[in-house]
Amino acid sequence: MPDAFDALRSTLVRHGGRPALRGEGEEISYARLLEAIAERRGVLEAVGARRVALALDNGPQWALWDLALLAGGQVCVPLPGFFSPTQQMHVLDSAGIDTLIVDPAAANANAFAGFVPVAPGILQRTPPQLPALPAGTAKITYTSGSTGQPKGVCLSAAAQLAVAHSVAQIGEGCAVERHLGVLPLATLLENIAGLYAGLLAGACVELLPMRTIGFSGGGGFDPARFLQTLLAHRPHSLILLPQMLLALVGAAEHGRALPAGLRFVAVGGGQVSTRLLQRAEALGLPVFEGYGLSECASVVCLNTPAARRLGTVGRPLSHAALRIADDGEVQVRGARMLGYLGEAPPADEVAAEERAADGWLGTGDLGHLDDGFLVLHGRKKHQFITAYGRNVNPEWVEAELVQQGPIAQAWVHGEALAENFAVLVPRRADCSDAELDAAVATANAGLPDYARAGRWLRAEAPFTPGNGFLTANGRLRRAALAAHYLPRIDADGGVSCAIFTSFSDESDT
């Protein structure tokens, strides 16, 4: 058994008979947890599994198989359900997957091309290729970037558990006894900061199918169902994306009851408006913004009850250190990836290693430190320069726009333009141009003049993975949006006056 899991096992044993995992009609105590993990280790060894993909919905079974792979030393590759079939096959082939764990009800030879069932819920094949992996790879997590196929990030068990231990310390300090996983476990954030950290802290980690949480497909989200689930389960802790927090705050501001008992709500995964955090604070929600990336095994910084500053993503956790490079890029040292699957180290990382042999990793994010708290400015590659020479990070402006009730999604562009323009997805089918215009004016009032959206267009359709304007995990595909909407800009930098068809709430994802 790997040393990293030995340390985890000793912690789990101390939690005794308390509930460890809970799902729909299923509960496993800490006393039973290690036995359940050992049973699955035996199955994996019996079928000769080496590189294993998990194609399961959220639930205790996902957690048990993941922990069994961590304990047994096989390579675990979570297969996101929100990936397209083409992306899923890319993951399976590029990682050299030989074993696939699925819901037994769906385990048949036609579920995934080339795999055949060998046991209930287990499919196998001889992989078409077996790419070399960095030594010590325990997990390959795939990130869906702004273009191209998902990229595999190779992580060690030690890196994952170092982050989990840091987060667990915060959970213990907030007396978190029940964590509800509301993000897919195939995302590293919920896997490490939710599942692993929750177990290390001795909490009961509740894992429900994503449809119960309110998610469907790659981007469909039902805020009403989400709130209903929170009220029914009354968790002490959650990890939310900004749009989920916005839905929760909006519901409360319209008179809906909030779940009792919340003690720590982490929010991250995208730009979070300070105004949204202020609104959450006014409602009494214990919301704490954080920051991380897959290349650093998830969470790097996090605000806490003991050290919180609005407008920042917090101070580095105990396993990490930060510095700001001369060009403003955030660099991280501590838990980090072993490398990208099938790729040489990126050129900028090689340069960083040449400058400093002590393991600093360039994140691609811009920011500055304020009394040790990290303030993010946006992505280096997304920053644009206006016709007046001002640098603007669009995520900042977009976060302010979607704070406004009528605006569900926004994309902002201003490279070499006299005034920035935005493409807006309205929240309602009957949202008028006047409402959108007023919303833009309200957002602009809180922005400096060079960052304001001077002109806007109503989008033809919501931004979704299906139409190529979102990645599978909800990030804007800026190049695709630019290719589609920039032709609407007149030669003098103005935006043509074409107004496009609106659409309904149900398709707004």
Side-chain angles (χ1 to χ4, degrees):
M1 181 181 293
D3 292 343
F5 188 81
D6 280 344
L8 173 61
R9 182 179 64 168
S10 64
T11 301
L12 298 180
V13 168
R14 292 199 297 268
H15 297 325
R18 284 181 283 174
L21 299 171
R22 183 177 293 144
E24 289 189 340
E26 187 177 10
E27 182 174 296
I28 299 167
S29 70
Y30 279 97
R32 165 83 175 107
L33 183 61
L34 290 173
E35 182 182 347
I37 292 170
E39 290 170 357
R40 284 156 183 78
R41 281 191 65 191
V43 173
L44 293 168
E45 291 170 1
V47 299
R50 292 175 298 169
R51 300 185 186 185
V52 183
L54 295 182
L56 298 168
D57 197 354
N58 276 23
Q61 292 304 315
W62 197 106
L64 291 172
W65 284 109
D66 176 58
L67 291 166
L69 291 164
L70 191 68
Q74 295 96 344
V75 177
C76 176
V77 182
L79 189 65
F82 51 80
F83 276 10
S84 69
T86 299
Q87 288 177 316
Q88 289 184 337
M89 285 309 302
H90 166 75
V91 168
L92 298 174
D93 290 343
S94 64
I97 296 299
D98 56 74
T99 303
L100 184 63
I101 298 176
V102 300
D103 183 335
N108 58 72
N110 297 320
F112 293 89
F115 286 86
V116 296
V118 297
I122 299 179
L123 310 176
Q124 286 194 311
R125 69 168 181 179
T126 299
Q129 58 178 341
L130 200 63
L133 300 178
T137 297
K139 180 165 288 167
I140 307 174
T141 184
Y142 278 78
T143 63
S144 53
S146 58
T147 59
Q149 291 283 19
K151 179 183 292 187
V153 176
C154 299
L155 298 169
S156 67
Q160 296 175 71
L161 292 176
V163 176
H165 275 286
S166 289
V167 178
Q169 292 169 4
I170 298 169
E172 290 171 337
C174 296
V176 169
E177 298 174 5
R178 295 191 304 275
H179 173 79
L180 177 62
V182 298
L183 302 180
L185 284 166
T187 61
L188 199 62
L189 182 56
E190 191 68 71
N191 186 182
I192 291 180
L195 174 60
Y196 291 178
L199 294 176
L200 284 167
C204 175
V205 181
E206 297 192 69
L207 302 171
L208 305 173
M210 295 312 296
R211 68 176 186 280
T212 303
I213 300 299
F215 282 100
S216 61
F221 177 60
D222 182 347
R225 185 156 194 177
F226 171 59
L227 184 57
Q228 181 182 11
T229 299
L230 296 187
L231 291 170
H233 291 267
R234 295 182 300 148
H236 290 162
S237 67
L238 299 165
I239 302 171
L240 301 181
L241 301 176
Q243 195 66 20
M244 299 170 76
L245 177 61
L246 181 59
L248 187 60
V249 168
E253 290 175 340
H254 284 83
R256 296 290 298 275
L258 289 172
L262 283 172
R263 299 173 183 175
F264 193 93
V265 179
V267 60
Q271 186 84 19
V272 185
S273 167
T274 301
R275 292 183 189 177
L276 176 58
L277 296 171
Q278 291 169 338
R279 290 164 62 190
E281 186 173 45
L283 293 165
L285 286 168
V287 175
F288 301 89
E289 187 179 3
Y291 164 72
L293 56 162
S294 299
E295 289 82 351
C296 293
S298 187
V299 187
V300 172
C301 296
L302 186 60
N303 281 283
T304 69
R308 180 173 183 250
R309 185 169 297 183
L310 289 182
T312 80
V313 294
R315 287 174 169 160
L317 295 183
S318 58
H319 70 276
L322 291 182
R323 72 179 185 186
I324 307 299
D326 292 342
D327 63 355
E329 183 181 18
V330 179
Q331 296 182 344
V332 180
R333 185 173 63 186
R336 58 178 289 178
M337 67 175 179
L338 299 169
Y340 291 113
L341 177 64
E343 290 188 12
D348 58 347
E349 184 182 338
V350 172
E353 295 292 352
E354 290 174 351
R355 290 194 305 270
D358 47 2
W360 291 99
L361 175 69
T363 65
D365 292 310
L366 297 171
H368 73 270
L369 292 172
D370 180 4
D371 190 28
F373 290 83
L374 177 61
V375 181
L376 291 175
H377 303 160
R379 297 288 292 170
K380 285 175 66 175
K381 67 180 181 181
H382 295 160
Q383 181 173 273
F384 60 76
I385 303 175
T386 71
Y388 299 104
R390 301 307 301 268
N391 295 327
V392 178
N393 275 288
E395 295 102 324
W396 166 36
V397 184
E398 291 155 359
E400 294 301 321
L401 287 168
V402 299
Q403 269 287 290
Q404 311 308 314
I407 302 173
Q409 295 171 302
W411 171 66
V412 173
H413 178 82
E415 181 65 33
L417 298 181
E419 57 182 354
N420 305 325
F421 87 97
V423 177
L424 307 177
V425 174
R427 202 173 295 278
R428 308 185 324 272
D430 61 352
C431 186
S432 68
D433 292 345
E435 286 180 275
L436 288 175
D437 204 50
V440 172
T442 300
N444 281 342
L447 294 167
D449 56 1
Y450 65 86
R452 293 171 182 164
R455 304 289 298 275
W456 61 268
L457 291 173
R458 184 189 294 261
E460 296 171 351
F463 308 151
T464 69
N467 62 21
F469 292 150
L470 281 186
T471 65
N473 63 354
R475 298 184 185 275
L476 293 175
R477 289 191 182 275
R478 296 180 184 275
L481 285 161
H484 188 78
Y485 285 108
L486 287 187
R488 274 90 172 161
I489 304 177
D490 294 331
D492 64 359
V495 178
S496 67
C497 60
I499 299 295
F500 301 106
T501 307
S502 63
F503 34 82
S504 68
D505 270 332
E506 286 73 25
S507 61
D508 174 16
T509 59

